[in-house]
């Protein structure tokens, strides 16, 4: 494997991670990326029907809100953050959530946090990129943390979680990590837990280290393929 091959495989992995969130979005993280806009309840129902992960997320949010818990949701892509915010807007209303990205101005961050922390606030959810967590924040009312997707490196998620535990109710904080079974997401989590494979794969260098990264990415891409084709052959799932 060459360094160029590693770059190619990394792009494929990013695309597949985006598909796990929803097949209608791409992996682009620019402001002009392919974003899904949900205008009505019918649009939300259609979006949920295309993504079991998103449907599970929606059900989890409804359960948390039914018992008045305050929830922080982490995602690593601006397109995914936008999608989750759209789901909350249609399901619960415009004033029930706040969104903080890695580029949100500090004044807007402070306003969002204050709204989340108010005793009688209607803001039940705060959606953010993990690197935004802890930058002068004080999420005193935080009850639940949901990782909608996982970072290439487990370090980023662990750091965000540690900050969340300090910011919220550490003794009773609930943690959920969502991933799609038998997909690239499940394999990424397994590697992150057992090895430093993703740090090697994503290291921004060339030569032997990046070549090793290509091998890791190739192995990740192969994960779940055998399961997928065996289910198709057995008639368990219709080929798409």
């Amino acid at each position: 494997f060459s360094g160029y091959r590693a770059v190619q495989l990394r792009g494929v992995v990013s695309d597949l991670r985006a598909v796990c969130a929803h097949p209608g979005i791409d992996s682009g993280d620019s402001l002009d990326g392919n974003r899904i806009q949900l205008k009505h309840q019918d649009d939300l129902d259609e979006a949920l029907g295309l993504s079991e992960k998103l449907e599970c997320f929606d059900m989890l949010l409804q359960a948390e809100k039914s018992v008045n818990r305050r929830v922080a949701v982490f995602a690593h892509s601006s397109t995914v953050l936008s999608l989750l915010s759209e789901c909350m807007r249609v399901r619960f209303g415009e004033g029930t959530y706040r969104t903080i990205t890695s580029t949100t101005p500090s004044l807007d961050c402070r306003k969002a946090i204050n709204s989340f922390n108010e005793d009688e606030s209607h803001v039940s959810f705060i959606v953010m990129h993990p690197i935004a967590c802890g930058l002068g924040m004080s999420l005193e009312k935080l009850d639940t943390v949901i990782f909608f997707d996982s970072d290439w490196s487990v370090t980023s998620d662990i750091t965000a979680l540690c900050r969340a535990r300090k910011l919220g109710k550490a003794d009773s904080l609930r943690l959920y990590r969502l991933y799609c079974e038998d997909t690239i997401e499940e394999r990424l989590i397994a590697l992150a837990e057992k090895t430093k494979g993703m740090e090697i794969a994503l290291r921004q260098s060339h030569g032997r280290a990046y070549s090793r990264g290509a091998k890791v990415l190739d192995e990740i891409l192969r994960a779940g393929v055998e399961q997928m084709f065996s289910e198709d052959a057995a008639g368990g799932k219709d080929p798409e």
Side-chain angles (χ1 to χ4, degrees):
F1 291 97
S2 66
Y4 176 71
R5 179 61 171 164
V7 174
Q8 288 182 313
L9 293 179
R10 180 182 177 181
V12 174
V13 170
S14 296
D15 289 339
L16 291 177
R17 291 180 71 195
V19 169
C20 288
H22 192 281
I25 65 175
D26 58 30
S27 60
D29 203 31
S30 67
L31 293 177
D32 296 325
N34 183 21
R35 300 177 184 274
I36 297 176
Q37 294 186 350
L38 309 176
K39 297 182 179 180
H40 308 289
Q41 182 65 43
D42 290 343
D43 297 331
L44 175 59
D45 293 339
E46 181 179 357
L48 297 179
L50 293 173
S51 172
E52 291 187 3
K53 182 179 183 180
L54 194 62
E55 183 179 24
C56 177
F57 173 75
D58 179 65
M59 294 173 62
L60 180 57
L61 288 189
Q62 292 185 67
E64 293 295 294
K65 186 169 176 57
S66 68
V67 290
N68 297 317
R69 293 188 184 125
R70 306 282 177 95
V71 182
V73 180
F74 293 114
H76 294 83
S77 164
S78 64
T79 51
V80 174
L81 286 170
S82 176
L83 172 62
L84 301 183
S85 297
E86 285 285 289
C87 290
M88 293 178 186
R89 180 183 60 79
V90 176
R91 175 66 71 191
F92 303 108
E94 187 74 46
T96 59
Y97 70 93
R98 295 291 185 269
T99 303
I100 299 177
T101 70
S102 57
T103 59
T104 301
S106 58
L107 180 60
D108 293 338
C109 288
R110 194 174 299 111
K111 290 180 179 179
I113 294 165
N114 290 339
S115 297
F116 184 83
N117 284 331
E118 290 176 1
D119 289 335
E120 303 299 327
S121 175
H122 296 291
V123 179
S124 300
F125 313 106
I126 189 163
V127 192
M128 67 179 74
H129 194 291
I131 65 173
C133 184
L135 301 179
M137 291 187 177
S138 180
L139 301 179
E140 302 166 358
K141 302 297 183 179
L142 184 62
D143 297 300
T144 303
V145 174
I146 301 174
F147 286 98
F148 186 80
D149 53 22
S150 300
D151 193 60
W152 295 102
S153 169
V154 69
T155 305
S156 175
D157 287 345
I158 290 176
T159 300
L161 176 60
C162 289
R163 288 171 174 170
R165 288 186 63 84
K166 292 178 182 178
L167 299 174
K169 305 170 185 177
D171 294 337
S172 59
L173 193 68
R174 295 168 176 79
L175 171 66
Y176 299 92
R177 184 188 295 275
L178 305 183
Y179 66 90
C180 295
E181 186 180 13
D182 295 327
T183 68
I184 196 168
E185 283 191 317
E186 185 176 38
R187 187 56 182 156
L188 283 170
I189 292 174
L191 280 179
E193 290 177 347
K194 294 181 179 179
T195 71
K196 295 293 184 179
M198 294 320 301
E199 284 85 343
I200 295 173
L202 273 297
R203 189 178 301 161
Q204 296 300 317
S205 62
H206 300 284
R208 183 175 300 175
Y210 218 34
S211 179
R212 288 180 60 197
K215 292 181 180 179
V216 173
L217 290 168
D218 182 72
E219 192 275 337
I220 291 172
L221 289 170
R222 295 176 186 272
V225 174
E226 182 178 351
Q227 174 76 9
M228 179 179 67
F229 282 106
S230 65
E231 287 178 346
D232 288 343
K237 292 183 180 180
D238 294 329
E240 298 180 356

